[in-house]
Each structure stands twice: as C-alpha cells, then as structure tokens.
Amino acid sequence: MLDKEGADPVILRNMSSAEQVGAVVDATDARLLLELVANPRATGVELAARLGLSRNTVQARLARWESAGVLASFERRVDPRALGYPLAAFVSVVADQHKLAAVVAELARVPEVIEVCGLTGQTDLTVRVVARDADDLYRVAGRILEIDGVERTNMALVMQQFVGPRTAPLLARLATANGTAR
C-alpha cells in the first residue's frame, strides 16, 4: 500500500528480535523453503510431491509464513539494473539522534533508496541506493544530504556483488540438523 504521496510506507523491523518475524522455522520448514529457493514458481501440489508432504501441510505452512513475515516480498527479486539503474552504492549516514525516525521516513520517500539499516558504531544508518549514472548518483546523494537531521554522509560505490542476499546455506544447515537431508 502506498501512502498519500505515492511513496512506500516505512517498514521498521528490529533485526535483533526473533519475535518480529513471528515464527520459528523447523527442519521440515527449512526443507520446504529450500525447495522454494530452488523452484520459486512451484505450486503447493508440486512442493508436496517433491518433499513427501501433504498438500494441506504445505499450504498451511506457506500461509503461516506469509502472515508471520517469514517470507520477504517478491519485490526483492526485481533487479534494479533491469529497471535502468545499473549503479549501486552504500551511503553511510550520521544523523541527529532526535530526528532519526524522521530521517528514515524521508529516506523512504526517495525512490532510489532501496534499503535502510540502522547500525551501531560510527554511523547511524547504511543506505543502499541505485542510480542511472554518475550524475544521477550525485543527485541522489545530494537529496540525502538535504534531509533535515542528516549531519554527514560517506558513499561507497558497489563495483561487484560477489555474494548476494541469501538464506539457502542457513536453511540447508537447519534442514539437515535433525538428520533430515534433502
């Protein structure tokens, strides 16, 4: 759902709290999730047949994961390069702590901002941005600096992504933890 100005709503998650996800994944869940990673378009019937589970079990688990926030949005599968944004950068942001929530809300209004994470240490936020070219990246960086509460930034251009976002190795470990290999 978009807000009244057409921007995506800000979604805040505390990465250190297991309760935020709302579910614990067991070995059977991990096997099912691994199968979804390998075959994201598989139907519930196909998944059930491949894993030796009932269709109802598969459907119930998928429904539980969706409501509990275990599964991320399908939006994450769209590569920004395919949308005309071949450049990516990480922007480290130091912000006025009293304005941090407002800074995050403003960052969420910038379409080229694709991820914002709160950090410990010398910087407060790491912002992943995409751009069409160097001039566009300069514009996006300027837009971030204009946000009230942003004190300073530092940018690192992504030259190559060697390991992308993934959970398959963690799922494989969990799926085989109780002797239930795939």
Side-chain angles (χ1 to χ4, degrees), residues 32 44-45 47-49 51-61:
L32 182 50
V45 172
L47 294 168
L51 297 171
L53 301 171
S54 76
R55 182 184 57 80
N56 288 341
T57 297
V58 170
Q59 294 300 95
R61 287 174 188 247

Side-chain angles (χ1 to χ4, degrees), residues 4-171:
K4 61 185 168 189
E5 294 183 25
D8 289 328
V10 178
I11 299 171
L12 300 176
R13 289 188 306 156
N14 179 352
M15 299 301 285
S16 65
S17 175
E19 297 83 40
Q20 294 296 321
V21 173
V24 175
V25 175
D26 64 20
T28 300
D29 290 338
R31 290 177 49 234
L32 182 50
L33 287 166
L34 273 171
E35 191 61 40
L36 275 174
V37 168
N39 301 294
R41 293 185 180 149
T43 66
V45 172
E46 291 171 326
L47 294 168
R50 288 180 186 152
L51 297 171
L53 301 171
S54 76
R55 182 184 57 80
N56 288 341
T57 297
V58 170
Q59 294 300 95
R61 287 174 188 247
L62 290 171
R64 179 174 44 105
W65 297 336
E66 284 185 35
S67 66
V70 171
L71 297 175
S73 73
F74 286 98
E75 169 186 22
R76 295 180 64 190
R77 294 177 50 190
V78 179
D79 189 333
R81 294 175 295 186
L83 304 175
Y85 295 88
L87 292 181
F90 287 96
V91 181
S92 299
V93 176
V94 175
D96 178 334
Q97 294 298 300
H98 302 296
K99 298 179 180 180
L100 192 58
V103 168
V104 170
E106 283 302 309
L107 286 168
R109 294 183 183 284
V110 179
E112 296 84 0
V113 170
I114 61 173
E115 186 175 16
V116 179
C117 295
L119 306 175
T120 62
Q122 303 262 335
T123 61
D124 300 304
L125 304 168
T126 291
V127 181
R128 186 171 167 213
V129 301
V130 294
R132 296 186 183 280
D133 55 32
D135 290 335
D136 193 35
L137 185 58
Y138 186 81
R139 179 193 60 77
V140 172
R143 173 67 182 92
I144 292 171
L145 278 169
E146 289 173 352
I147 295 172
D148 183 37
V150 171
E151 296 176 356
R152 68 181 175 278
T153 65
N154 187 27
M155 184 181 305
L157 189 62
V158 174
M159 301 299 289
Q160 182 73 37
Q161 183 179 41
F162 295 110
V163 178
R166 64 190 186 139
T167 57
L170 299 173
L171 291 167

